[in-house]
Amino acid sequence: MTASPLVPVPIPDRVAALIGSCMPERVLVAEMEADSAAREMGLLLSPLRGEQAADRERLLSEVARANKVLAAYNPRLMVLPGGGY
């Protein structure tokens, strides 16, 4: 028997709000910032030149800053490279 790949399932807003109410606000903000920066990084076209390279560096610093907060709360919340973005 083989394990099937996990399929993302949408979470109802009320369930997400309940999960979020159990976390400190700074962790929720860091999670949203890291997720947003990782998504924006996926939109950058390769090869990076000039302004795009600067944007990538800015986004990487945002992810790193948010990861510090997330890792202090729970290391499994960190946004890692190749996380599907």
Side-chain angles (χ1 to χ4, degrees), residues 6-83:
L6 294 176
V7 178
V9 178
I11 298 174
D13 291 339
R14 295 186 92 173
V15 174
L18 181 63
I19 293 169
S21 69
C22 299
M23 293 180 166
E25 185 176 344
R26 63 184 167 76
V27 174
L28 293 175
V29 170
E31 187 176 15
M32 289 187 293
E33 288 175 355
D35 185 49
S36 174
R39 286 181 193 271
E40 283 184 49
M41 231 182 316
L43 298 176
L44 294 175
L45 301 175
S46 197
L48 301 176
R49 292 191 179 106
E51 192 174 312
Q52 279 191 337
D55 286 344
R56 181 178 182 274
E57 292 300 319
R58 179 185 54 81
L59 292 170
L60 283 172
S61 70
E62 287 180 17
V63 170
R65 192 176 317 113
N67 273 344
K68 283 184 179 182
V69 175
L70 295 173
Y73 183 73
N74 183 348
R76 292 183 294 168
L77 293 176
M78 288 176 43
V79 174
L80 302 174

